[in-house]
Amino acid sequence: MGIKKKFIRDSVYGDIRLNEIEVEVMDNPQFQRLRRIKQLGLISLIYPGANHTRFEHSIGTMHIASKLADKLDLNQKDKELVRISALLHDIGHGPFSHVSEGVLSFPHEELTKYVIKNTAIRDIVEKKFDIDKIIEIINGEGKFGPIVSGELDADRMDYLLRDSHYTGVAYGIIDYERIISNLNLNKHLSLDIKGVQAAEGALVSRYFMYPSVYQHHTTRIVNSMFRRGLKKLIDSGVINENDMYKYDDADIIGIFRNSEGYPKEIMERLDNRNIFKRVKTIRLDNFKTPEKLYKIENKELRKAEEEIAMDYDIDKDYVILNIAEYPRFDEMKTEVSVDGKLYPLTEISNIIAALSKARFNIPDISLYVPEEEKSKFKKFKMEHYLDLPEIDKEKYHSIHYDQLKLF
């Protein structure tokens, strides 16, 4: 009698086939924890359908990585190594995914490495695989690293498709099969010229998902509130940041609700969607050198918050300065193969070159305070508290003039 085939039904791809060791890994409590961690953290407060989990995303990433391994003609042993690496790539993620990571003093990849090396996951995986090779691939290193963690990688393709599916934001729909069919692996993962249009589509998708979902202004507000509460719980010793891989979303919510003071109030606010409001925003494309804003250190932001709190008679914990995440868009670094030579995608595609310049059109620096304090800030000037880059007045007026012409 043959080995019974196992499948799991995925909402994005349909049936995904699993082998015995993959099923054993998935049935482990450490992996089952991912069912209780939302992929997009608190974004369900903005998009109510965004309740999908790291569990689904990990299986989806394995599926895409497997398709890519097939296209690259990897042998069965290497294909299984790539699949298990993709399945485990987020095993160390803390509750609410990247939201909690913003408070930790190390990236989630460190916890992923720890979980794979120091929990029962190791006993399962070591039956067949070299642990160090799995960690190497998860870190984007070695020959197969770019498949799971590179520029146009399986992780990115899955989360764009999945986040788009669950938020209802159509920007994330990408032609992943066309991209996969045109990827080749030599020293690096490169794209055939025939796949450029699909890659352009994926980058445009990410460009629009950034302000619509990942860095939506309300997303940033609820994330900032949660992080400040979590930081207090870590600083006071209630939560040990090294143990984040043990917690799920419900555990952390419970700790917030059962604490005293600020964390308890923040969770009450999030529970009732009584969130802070923007009182001042400056878009980064108003500056001559927007990159300089990312050189402002956290301690400078905290100092500015304290000064604002003092001047406006507010508790400093209720004043939040936030800079949108750096619009990195690593896919732009993808190399394209043309007549045997490799060129950066930005040189091959005018669209990608334009996106490279346009990415600072979206992010901003903002000040958030509780709604009841908002009226105090009508004449607030951010430049009184932070050393901001110089405003590009000509650029601003030309944009403003073009908009006037449109109307």
Side-chain angles (χ1 to χ4, degrees), residues 179-205:
I179 293 170
I180 287 171
S181 67
N182 284 287
L183 284 170
N184 300 296
L185 185 65
N186 298 307
K187 278 186 179 177
H188 307 287
L189 205 57
S190 63
L191 187 70
D192 189 81
I193 188 73
K194 288 183 285 188
V196 165
Q197 200 170 4
E200 287 174 338
L203 254 163
V204 170
S205 293

Side-chain angles (χ1 to χ4, degrees), residues 192-193 336-343:
D192 189 81
I193 188 73
V336 180
S337 176
V338 185
D339 299 329
K341 291 183 180 178
L342 295 175
Y343 300 89

Side-chain angles (χ1 to χ4, degrees), residues 30 69 106 130 149-150 152 164 192 274 304 315 332 368 383 405:
Q30 203 66 54
F106 43 80
D130 181 333
S149 182
L152 277 173
S164 176
D192 189 81
N274 175 19
D315 185 321
M332 293 178 184
Y368 314 135
E383 56 271 26
K405 281 199 296 187

